[in-house]
Amino acid sequence: MSGTTQIFFSATQYAAATVTAAIRAGFFGPRTAHRRILVVSNTAAVPEVGTPLDRMPGFEKLRPEFDEVRSWNEFISPFHPAGWSPRAQDASLWEKAVRLAWNLGDEDVEIACESIQANPSRAVADIFADSPVHVYADGLMSYGPTRNRIPHNLNSRIARVLHLDLIPGLRPMLLSEYGVEPQPIPNEAIVDVLAQIGEEGASILADKLPAEDRPTAVMLGQYLSAIDLITQDEEEQLHVRMLRAAAKAGHQDILFKPHPSAPAVYSTSLEQAADQLGVRLTVLREPVLAETVFAYLRPQLVIGCFSTALMTAAAFYDIPVARVGTGLLLERITPYENSNRIPLTVIDAILPDAEKDKVGQPLELGRLAEELAPLVRAVGYCMQALKHHAMRDEVTAWLAVHLDAYPQYFKKRRLTSLRLPGGSPVRAESLRRNPTVRRVVRRIRAAQA
């Protein structure tokens, strides 16, 4: 890696914090040996109305690790970074354009990016077609299988998957079918970075929240309706259910933190529910990381649906966590290959249900991986069976014994199509009607005639 230019692509502050932690942990070599460029992008539906990553509170704590900061949105304007990629025949021209615009000359380039399955990461990897690629994952999706096929000319260049060790001992499946090895980022490195960039956010919280009677419970919003998992009304009701669960657990001061990528749609349903319950609700609309909220408030409970922040609260800050609404999402989420299925499965399997169970105790993370690993591998196999055919015997044996205990994570139609335990038997009549089977039978009969 000596003497290369390292280009780091980040779409969120949390992603930038993750890759900065990896840099400080020594995963990208000594600071003096490389030129480092951070390229920020905003993949929100309307990026013009959002706050760019490099203008968010706390970014100045990350800035010293990089020689330059560039904007991908500005470079490819007027295209949207989530929807644009170069045509194959134009990739080399775009590489020349990037090298010229960023003064790269003929230097060797390394790429570090988030999800390699989607833009802008895929676009950048296509542009720098000869460069090694380091994939870093900041959430629970790293424990699931690769969503889309990665062509050989790209998967052969992926050096490793850097990931947060949110569930110690649980091995990520991401890119494993291509022989890419995972490498966990030390928890102390990411917590230290989050503490630094959270200093300004803590000041925002100090100004917004009263010195006494600060919230003791935190509710985490996501953007489930924006990605069509549930409707907007259902998502609003999901937040109301979180509020009621927090009140039921004895909390009178509650903070709601919407997801930064969620649409800014105002609804009074949450405020009305708070009035009815007699609790004080604070809605945090300022751009403050959830982890800053955890570190500053040290709440007694964090409630969410299947947000990765639930696990960072548990793994990094030892805060009790609980879930709401995962049952509905397990019924609704489609297709079965949806990458959100693994985060949803993990959270549903290991966190208490805030509406039914006793909450308020920290998770014993060290004991989770052994029980969780076979379930995650079975769900992952069912999601992408063609990519993980070597796992079939293992998954078949596990389902034969454990399916009755975990029926909510598997669809009968999927088990049937894969000929796995729990699926329906294939009827002879269905086979006779199958066009492919009929063609094969005709060929056999013709050969025997």
Side-chain angles (χ1 to χ4, degrees):
M1 293 200 306
S2 177
T4 59
T5 294
Q6 298 172 332
I7 305 180
F8 302 87
F9 284 79
S10 295
T12 66
Q13 190 176 40
Y14 196 82
T18 300
V19 78
T20 299
I23 291 171
R24 292 180 180 174
F27 291 176
F28 287 93
R31 177 72 178 88
T32 55
H34 308 283
R35 177 187 176 196
R36 289 176 176 156
I37 301 174
L38 177 66
V39 182
V40 302
S41 61
N42 187 338
T43 58
V46 188
E48 293 79 8
V49 302
T51 303
L53 161 59
D54 54 331
R55 295 212 293 268
M56 287 185 175
F59 178 76
E60 69 280 358
K61 301 296 183 180
L62 309 180
R63 182 65 178 82
E65 299 299 334
F66 306 97
D67 298 291
E68 301 172 41
V69 177
R70 301 281 184 171
S71 169
W72 189 245
N73 291 60
E74 291 179 6
F75 182 74
I76 67 169
S77 178
F79 301 108
H80 191 287
W84 178 85
S85 61
R87 296 184 302 175
Q89 61 266 37
D90 295 338
S92 61
L93 295 176
W94 278 98
E95 180 180 0
K96 292 178 181 178
V98 174
R99 287 182 175 276
L100 180 63
W102 296 349
N103 301 313
L104 300 181
D106 295 326
E107 300 170 6
D108 291 336
V109 168
E110 283 185 286
I111 302 297
C113 57
E114 300 171 81
S115 174
I116 196 63
Q117 309 158 80
N119 294 318
S121 296
R122 184 64 176 270
V124 172
D126 288 342
I127 288 172
F128 289 95
D130 296 321
S131 298
V133 177
H134 307 268
V135 175
Y136 68 92
D138 60 11
L140 293 171
M141 282 188 184
S142 65
Y143 294 113
T146 317
R147 182 172 71 240
N148 302 322
R149 186 184 71 84
I150 308 298
H152 178 72
N153 63 350
L154 175 53
N155 71 57
S156 61
R157 293 189 282 129
I158 301 176
R160 56 188 170 173
V161 173
L162 299 169
H163 68 98
L164 299 180
D165 200 17
L166 298 175
I167 305 174
L170 186 62
R171 184 180 176 85
M173 287 183 67
L174 181 65
L175 298 171
S176 62
E177 68 269 34
Y178 303 113
V180 180
E181 289 293 317
Q183 185 173 7
I185 299 171
N187 283 1
E188 55 271 19
I190 181 64
V191 171
D192 183 61
V193 172
L194 292 172
Q196 291 182 32
I197 66 175
E199 291 175 2
E200 189 170 341
S203 298
I204 293 174
L205 294 174
D207 293 338
K208 184 177 180 65
L209 302 175
E212 62 283 340
D213 298 326
R214 283 178 175 160
T216 58
V218 172
M219 296 163 38
L220 299 172
Q222 290 180 253
Y223 51 105
L224 305 177
S225 59
I227 56 177
D228 297 324
L229 290 182
I230 54 179
T231 67
Q232 183 179 313
D233 288 342
E234 287 172 329
E235 187 157 21
E236 291 175 4
Q237 287 306 306
L238 183 63
H239 297 155
V240 171
R241 290 169 60 187
M242 293 180 190
L243 184 70
R244 289 174 177 161
K248 178 184 175 183
H251 298 278
Q252 295 298 305
D253 293 283
I254 302 166
L255 183 140
F256 174 57
K257 186 189 184 311
H259 192 280
S261 297
V265 178
Y266 179 75
S267 172
T268 61
S269 58
L270 202 55
E271 287 85 351
Q272 291 172 350
D275 289 340
Q276 294 171 359
L277 293 167
V279 300
R280 182 167 61 188
L281 174 69
T282 302
V283 179
L284 181 65
R285 303 189 187 280
E286 289 76 5
V288 177
L289 284 172
E291 287 71 24
T292 301
V293 175
F294 304 153
Y296 179 78
L297 284 183
R298 290 289 171 176
Q300 299 169 22
L301 179 66
V302 175
I303 295 179
C305 188
F306 63 95
S307 169
T308 291
L310 287 166
M311 290 310 304
T312 63
F316 298 163
Y317 305 99
D318 200 31
I319 296 172
V321 291
R323 59 180 169 84
V324 169
T326 51
L328 172 65
L329 269 297
L330 284 168
E331 293 176 5
R332 295 283 186 85
I333 188 170
T334 57
Y336 197 87
E337 297 88 347
N338 192 313
S339 294
N340 287 295
R341 185 173 296 279
I342 288 296
L344 179 58
T345 297
V346 169
I347 294 298
D348 184 83
I350 66 176
L351 265 60
D353 186 332
E355 295 177 299
K356 301 176 182 178
D357 302 326
K358 182 179 179 181
V359 298
Q361 296 298 317
L363 291 179
E364 296 183 23
L365 291 171
R367 301 173 57 183
L368 293 176
E370 184 176 354
E371 176 183 351
L372 190 60
L375 170 63
V376 169
R377 287 174 63 81
V379 174
Y381 172 79
C382 290
M383 291 171 66
Q384 299 290 350
L386 293 179
K387 298 176 183 176
H388 296 276
H389 52 84
M391 294 168 52
R392 181 174 180 83
D393 290 345
E394 168 198 340
V395 171
T396 300
W398 186 85
L399 286 171
V401 176
H402 298 281
L403 179 60
D404 288 346
Y406 300 97
Q408 66 270 40
Y409 306 118
F410 303 93
K411 299 296 184 183
K412 192 176 189 69
R413 179 177 296 180
R414 175 60 55 132
L415 296 174
T416 300
S417 67
L418 295 175
R419 306 295 187 264
L420 290 171
S424 300
V426 180
R427 298 178 181 177
E429 184 62 30
S430 298
L431 284 175
R432 284 194 291 269
R433 289 198 303 265
N434 187 286
T436 302
V437 173
R438 294 177 68 177
R439 283 197 299 270
V440 171
V441 169
R442 285 197 297 268
R443 290 172 185 172
I444 295 174
R445 288 174 176 172
Q448 292 174 343

